[in-house]
Amino acid sequence: MTKIIAHRGSKGTHPENTLAAFEEAIRVGADGIELDVQLSKDNHLIVIHDETVDRTTNGHGSVGSLTLKELKQLDAGNWFEKNPMSQKIPTLVEVLELLEKNQFQGLLNIEIKTDKIHYNGIEELIVELMSSRSWPFEYMYSSFYFESLEKVWKVDQSNPIASVFYISEKEAQHAVQSTFIKGIHPNIEWVMAHLNEVADFPKPIRPWTVNEAEQMKICFAHQLAGIHTDFPEKALKLREMV
Ligand code: G3P
Ligand code: MG
């Protein structure tokens, strides 16, 4: 069965990459949760998508130029007009503890956001945190930046690693040839352009961002391993019907 992975939490209904968005993903029963990780100025693992705080908070500046204390002063939820609420930017450990507290038993996809800024040591810090105790959920690593995946593999050979890309044929083939890569997370357009081949593709496929019902149905019909969606509740209802 195709896993429904809540993209940045339940991004379509709650401010992305906040505890509220992850709680909502758990509440609706998502099979998986995806989040993005970057590094603060003082080397804390921060859950945020953009390299700057400008779009998703009331602050300004790059994540890497702000300390955890400075990041924590920002409001990360009231910008979301559809459902504004007071939220803080979470750290990775805060999200892990939320999932643990809520007995989440699905799949956590940790996307290492290093494609634009290659944060020094972020891969080792993430693996160190993940290995520091046993979590009640499965987890995997992913990144657009292949070097991050290689670095993770050096320090964690126990948890799956997936390559994220847009529609590149070269990257799909690179992922197939790299034995340590256990899955691909392409843009949904890559899937639409390769519908005849996905059944025989040698590694699990979990595209993003699958928000339209028609595309969800296609992914379910082709028995893809998973989809990343901003609307996990909608996807779960649709999957029940098909
Ligand atoms: O990890 C899948 C997806 O999140 C990749 O795109 O830009 O939303 O992080 P983005
Ligand atoms: Mg992401």
Side-chain angles (χ1 to χ4, degrees):
M1 192 161 55
T2 303
K3 278 195 167 128
I4 290 164
I5 304 166
H7 182 234
R8 309 184 203 168
S10 184
K11 173 182 181 285
T13 59
H14 289 67
E16 66 181 63
N17 280 326
T18 62
L19 295 186
F22 300 125
E23 258 170 353
E24 175 66 4
I26 297 169
R27 188 191 70 76
V28 303
D31 307 305
I33 288 175
E34 186 259 4
L35 51 75
D36 307 291
V37 183
Q38 311 209 29
L39 213 51
S40 68
K41 185 181 178 184
D42 48 350
N43 279 342
H44 287 274
L45 295 165
I46 305 297
V47 176
I48 189 165
H49 178 270
D50 296 3
E51 289 72 21
T52 73
V53 298
D54 296 35
R55 181 179 61 86
T56 58
T57 76
N58 58 348
H60 299 286
S62 63
V63 178
S65 71
L66 297 165
T67 62
L68 177 61
K69 195 174 167 198
E70 288 166 335
L71 290 163
K72 281 292 185 187
Q73 279 158 10
L74 306 178
D75 182 297
N78 278 304
W79 67 274
F80 189 64
E81 284 175 16
K82 203 173 169 183
N83 186 10
M85 59 182 76
S86 293
Q87 288 289 305
K88 299 283 180 205
I89 302 175
T91 60
L92 180 56
V93 72
E94 285 168 347
V95 179
L96 298 173
E97 285 171 354
L98 177 90
L99 303 188
E100 189 175 45
K101 192 180 88 190
N102 285 278
Q103 296 169 329
F104 175 67
Q105 292 180 343
L107 171 70
L108 175 67
N109 172 16
I110 302 166
E111 190 197 331
I112 310 171
K113 267 275 172 260
T114 39
D115 43 308
K116 296 201 178 83
I117 298 173
H118 309 329
Y119 298 103
N120 191 25
I122 189 171
E123 300 83 1
E124 291 79 6
L125 282 174
I126 292 173
V127 171
E128 193 183 319
L129 172 61
M130 296 314 295
S131 316
S132 65
R133 55 180 123 148
S134 98
W135 304 102
F137 46 84
E138 291 172 65
Y139 60 90
M140 66 179 301
Y141 309 101
S142 60
S143 185
F144 281 97
Y145 184 50
F146 202 81
E147 223 171 272
S148 278
L149 303 178
E150 291 176 316
K151 286 183 182 172
V152 166
W153 174 246
K154 277 194 187 141
V155 286
D156 184 351
Q157 280 118 45
S158 306
N159 295 286
I161 297 173
S163 170
V164 192
F165 57 89
Y166 290 91
I167 48 171
S168 155
E169 207 39 49
K170 205 173 131 203
E171 293 200 53
Q173 285 317 312
H174 192 200
V176 168
Q177 283 149 16
S178 307
T179 50
F180 74 94
I181 300 291
K182 304 297 186 207
I184 62 163
H185 296 176
N187 183 277
I188 182 61
E189 293 308 327
W190 182 91
V191 170
M192 302 311 279
H194 293 81
L195 282 180
N196 295 333
E197 297 148 54
V198 292
D200 296 324
F201 196 81
K203 301 192 179 187
I205 305 171
R206 302 178 196 89
W208 48 275
T209 307
V210 188
N211 289 340
E212 302 303 323
E214 283 314 307
Q215 291 186 332
M216 289 177 182
K217 284 186 203 163
I218 290 170
C219 293
F220 300 155
H222 285 79
Q223 299 184 324
L224 298 192
I227 58 167
H228 292 84
T229 178
D230 298 339
F231 299 96
E233 190 170 28
K234 167 179 163 178
L236 285 157
K237 284 189 184 141
L238 199 66
R239 192 181 62 185
E240 264 176 34
M241 283 157 44
V242 295

